[in-house]
C-alpha cells in the first residue's frame, strides 16, 4: 500500500468518479482506476460499487477513508514541518478555536500570528467544540481549543482552566438567589449552538443534571450564535446561560443580570490534538499563542473573583 494509492482512493471517494479524481491528481483515469484496483487486491475488499454516473463507496471504503485521511495528512504535515522547521518560512497552520473565542480575546489571533509569520498559510476554524474535536480526531485540522466534555476518542487533551457558567436574565430578580436545575427546567429559555444541539458540552452537563432529577429541558427558542441569544435575553423574550468571560465582556447587555447555578457549573477549556500526532511548527506556535492569550485574559478575572469572595 502506498501514499499514491491512498491519495487516489481519497480523491475518488470525495469526488465520486475516477475521471474527477484523475483531474484533481493531474493524471489519467486509467491510472487512478489501476491504483485503486491494486489497493482493493491488497486489502481483499471492494471499495466502490461501479455503476451509473457516480461511484458508490462500500462499507469498507467508509471505514478506510478515516484512516487513509489521517495517514496522508500526517505525511503532508511532516513534509511541511521539515520545510519550515528552522524559521517558519512557509508551511500551513490548521487550528480550531471556540465559537465565541472573541470573548476570550482571540478575535485577532490570526492577525497577530500572521504579523509574526507572514509566509505561513493559516486555516483557522471557529466551530462548536464538538465539531472541532471531530475535525482534530479525523486529521482535518491539527489541534484546537474546545470546551469539555467531548466524546471523541484518540485525542490528547490538556485542560487549561475552568470558566464558571451563569444563568442570565433581564427579568429574574437576582435576589432570588442561585439558579436550581428545577427552576431552570421550568424557565423560558433561548439556547445557542442550535446545530450541535444537546451534543454541545455545556448543554450536555445541564441535560445530565436534569435527567438525574427526572426533569426535561425544552427551550422555547434555539439560535446558532451566543450574541443572538443575548440579544433576545435583553428584550425579555427568554433567558439563557453564558460563561463568565461573556458576562464580564464589554458587549454584555446592561439590563441583563447573571446569577450562578446552585450547583456551580463550569466550562473547562482545553487544548487538544490527536494522540501520538506530531504538530507542525506553525500549529505549535499558534497553539502557544492561543494558550498565552487565554491565560492572560482569565488570570486577572479569576483573581478578582477570589477577592470578591473573601
Amino acid at each position: 500500500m502506498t501514499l499514491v494509492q491512498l491519495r487516489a482512493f481519497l480523491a475518488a471517494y470525495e469526488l465520486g468518479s475516477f475521471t474527477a479524481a484523475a483531474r484533481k491528481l493531474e493524471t489519467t483515469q486509467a491510472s487512478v482506476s489501476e491504483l485503486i484496483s491494486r489497493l482493493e487486491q491488497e486489502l481483499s475488499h471492494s471499495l466502490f460499487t461501479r455503476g451509473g454516473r457516480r461511484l458508490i463507496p462500500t462499507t469498507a471504503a467508509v471505514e478506510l477513508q478515516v484512516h487513509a485521511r489521517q495517514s496522508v495528512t500526517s505525511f503532508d504535515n511532516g513534509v511541511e514541518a521539515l520545510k519550515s522547521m528552522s524559521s517558519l518560512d512557509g508551511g500551513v497552520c490548521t487550528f480550531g478555536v471556540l465559537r465565541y473565542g472573541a470573548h476570550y480575546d482571540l478575535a485577532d489571533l490570526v492577525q497577530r500570528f500572521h504579523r509574526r509569520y507572514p509566509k505561513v498559510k493559516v486555516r483557522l476554524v471557529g466551530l462548536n467544540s464538538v465539531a472541532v474535536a471531530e475535525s482534530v480526531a479525523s486529521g482535518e485540522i491539527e489541534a484546537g481549543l474546545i470546551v469539555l466534555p467531548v466524546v471523541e476518542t484518540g485525542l490528547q487533551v490538556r485542560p487549561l482552566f475552568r470558566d464558571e457558567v451563569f444563568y442570565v436574565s433581564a427579568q429574574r430578580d437576582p435576589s432570588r438567589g442561585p439558579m436550581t436545575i428545577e427552576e431552570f427546567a421550568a424557565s423560558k429559555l433561548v439556547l445557542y449552538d442550535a446545530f450541535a444541539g444537546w451534543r454541545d458540552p455545556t448543554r450536555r452537563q445541564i441535560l445530565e443534571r436534569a435527567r438525574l432529577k427526572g426533569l426535561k429541558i425544552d427551550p422555547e427558542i434555539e439560535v446558532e450564535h451566543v450574541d443572538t441569544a443575548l440579544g433576545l435575553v435583553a428584550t425579555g423574550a427568554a433567558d439563557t446561560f453564558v460563561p463568565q468571560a461573556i458576562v464580564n465582556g464589554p458587549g454584555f447587555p446592561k439590563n441583563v443580570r447573571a446569577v450562578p447555578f446552585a450547583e456551580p457549573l463550569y466550562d473547562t477549556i482545553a487544548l487538544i490534538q490527536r494522540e501520538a500526532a506530531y504538530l507542525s511548527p506553525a500549529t505549535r506556535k499558534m497553539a502557544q499563542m492561543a494558550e498565552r492569550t487565554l491565560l492572560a485574559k482569565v488570570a486577572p478575572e479569576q483573581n478578582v473573583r477570589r477577592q470578591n469572595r473573601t
Side-chain angles (χ1 to χ4, degrees):
M1 186 183 302
T2 67
L3 281 170
V4 175
Q5 287 175 311
L6 293 180
R7 291 187 194 280
F9 162 70
L10 288 172
Y13 186 94
E14 293 166 2
L15 300 174
S17 80
F18 292 156
T19 302
R23 285 197 296 268
K24 178 179 180 178
L25 299 174
E26 298 182 345
T27 186
T28 65
Q29 185 270 344
S31 295
V32 171
S33 180
E34 175 63 21
L35 287 167
I36 292 176
S37 178
R38 279 190 282 148
L39 183 59
E40 290 176 321
Q41 292 173 16
E42 292 175 29
L43 297 172
S44 298
H45 280 284
S46 176
L47 296 175
F48 298 102
T49 300
R50 298 161 176 81
R53 292 178 173 270
R54 187 172 180 85
L55 295 173
I56 301 173
T58 64
T59 301
V62 173
E63 180 67 25
L64 176 63
Q65 66 91 17
V66 176
H67 304 286
R69 193 180 307 282
Q70 290 177 354
S71 298
V72 171
T73 300
S74 294
F75 178 80
D76 290 342
N77 289 344
V79 172
E80 292 294 339
L82 291 175
K83 289 179 180 178
S84 59
M85 186 177 292
S86 59
S87 63
L88 287 178
D89 190 22
V92 179
C93 167
T94 58
F95 194 74
V97 294
L98 304 167
R99 181 185 290 270
Y100 44 78
H103 295 280
Y104 288 102
D105 293 344
L106 294 174
D108 64 342
L109 184 62
V110 172
Q111 291 91 325
R112 289 186 285 117
F113 182 88
H114 189 64
R115 282 197 297 268
R116 294 179 64 178
Y117 310 107
K119 295 186 178 180
V120 175
K121 295 180 180 178
V122 177
R123 182 167 178 252
L124 197 66
V125 179
L127 299 168
N128 184 274
S129 295
V130 173
V132 171
E134 290 173 349
S135 295
V136 172
S138 70
E140 183 181 355
I141 59 178
E142 289 188 75
L145 291 167
I146 64 167
V147 175
L148 298 176
V150 294
V151 296
E152 286 299 323
T153 57
L155 293 176
Q156 179 181 318
V157 180
R158 185 159 63 88
L160 300 177
F161 64 89
R162 296 195 309 171
D163 199 7
E164 188 168 3
V165 176
F166 289 80
Y167 184 88
V168 295
S169 173
Q171 297 180 319
R172 185 183 187 274
D173 188 345
S175 66
R176 292 170 59 183
M179 171 61 58
T180 65
I181 191 63
E182 290 84 359
E183 184 184 352
F184 183 87
S187 300
K188 185 176 181 181
L189 301 171
V190 52
L191 300 185
Y192 47 94
D193 281 314
F195 184 78
W198 292 106
R199 297 193 305 155
D200 171 75
T202 312
R203 285 209 206 185
R204 281 182 59 198
Q205 293 185 73
I206 290 176
L207 187 61
E208 287 169 8
R209 293 183 180 189
R211 285 174 173 171
L212 288 174
K213 298 282 189 177
L215 302 170
K216 182 180 179 181
I217 308 296
D218 188 16
E220 294 282 337
I221 307 170
E222 292 191 73
V223 296
E224 198 58 40
H225 301 291
V226 63
D227 292 329
T228 305
L230 279 177
L232 289 166
V233 172
T235 68
D239 301 341
T240 194
F241 55 81
V242 293
Q244 180 81 54
I246 294 180
V247 173
N248 290 348
F252 190 74
K254 296 186 182 302
N255 68 319
V256 174
R257 299 292 177 264
V259 295
F261 282 84
E263 180 187 348
L265 179 67
Y266 295 94
D267 277 347
T268 300
I269 312 299
L271 186 64
I272 62 168
Q273 66 182 81
R274 279 191 299 127
E275 287 182 349
Y278 174 81
L279 287 187
S280 68
T283 300
R284 192 180 307 116
K285 289 291 185 184
M286 177 69 82
Q288 290 170 354
M289 288 178 64
E291 180 178 350
R292 285 196 297 268
T293 300
L294 282 171
L295 296 181
K297 163 75 173 176
V298 172
E301 293 181 353
Q302 291 182 341
N303 288 335
V304 169
R305 285 178 228 168
R306 294 191 192 100
Q307 292 170 4
N308 290 339
R309 290 170 182 167
T310 57

